[in-house]
Structure formats: structure tokens, C-alpha cells
Amino acid sequence: MTQSNTVTVHILDKEYCIACPQDERANLESAARYLDGKMREIRTSGKVIGADRVAVMAALNITHDLLHKQQRLDQDANSTRQQVRDLLDRVDHALTDDSSS
């Protein structure tokens, strides 16, 4: 692997070199900053001690947020589908009424 295909990120005062395609570099750096922020937030709270435990708690919090947002997106998509069905039914009804006149 060439040096140009790796990205160095800093998470909780440690440096990690990660293989990454050039077009995903910005996303990886953004994800690393987000993770670092979450881990620092948890460590600062003082309720969790040890980098491994901080990492697990950060992963659980991030996963919880992701699943919650996905659930909301699914609910919104279902609601939108229902609204479209209702509108199509109204259009069909209007067309039926119009053709029977």
C-alpha cells in the first residue's frame, strides 16, 4: 500500500494510519473527528474510565443515534408513501367522477 492511499487520523490522543481511497479521504477525516469528539465527551464526563470502555460507549451512543435516525427516516418514508397513495386515490376518484358526467 502506498503512502498516498493512507490517511493519518488522531483519536483520543492516538495516531492511526488508515488505508483509504483518495475520494473517501474527507469522509474518513470527518468521521474520525466526530468519533474523537464523542470519545472526549465521554471521557470528560468522568463516568467511564479506560480508552477501551470509552470507545465502546462512544460506539454504542453513535449506533443508537444512527438507528434512531434510521427509524425516523423509515417512518417519514412510510408517511410519504401513504400521502402519495391518498393523493392517487383522490385523483382516481376525481377522474372517475369526471368521466361519468
Side-chain angles (χ1 to χ4, degrees), residues 33-49:
R33 280 192 303 275
Y34 185 79
L35 177 59
D36 181 62
K38 285 292 187 183
M39 289 178 70
R40 287 179 186 282
E41 189 179 296
I42 291 167
R43 184 177 69 179
T44 301
S45 77
K47 296 177 183 175
V48 180
I49 299 172

Side-chain angles (χ1 to χ4, degrees), residues 27-86:
N27 288 336
L28 175 61
E29 290 169 341
S30 179
R33 280 192 303 275
Y34 185 79
L35 177 59
D36 181 62
K38 285 292 187 183
M39 289 178 70
R40 287 179 186 282
E41 189 179 296
I42 291 167
R43 184 177 69 179
T44 301
S45 77
K47 296 177 183 175
V48 180
I49 299 172
D52 290 348
R53 289 180 182 268
V54 168
V56 169
M57 290 304 298
L60 285 171
N61 286 336
I62 292 168
T63 302
H64 175 268
D65 292 345
L66 175 68
L67 292 175
H68 181 72
K69 286 179 183 179
Q70 184 61 51
Q71 182 181 31
R72 287 195 58 206
L73 284 173
D74 290 346
Q75 289 171 348
D76 290 348
N78 287 336
S79 175
T80 301
R81 275 195 227 48
Q82 187 58 48
Q83 288 174 345
V84 169
R85 280 189 211 107
D86 292 345

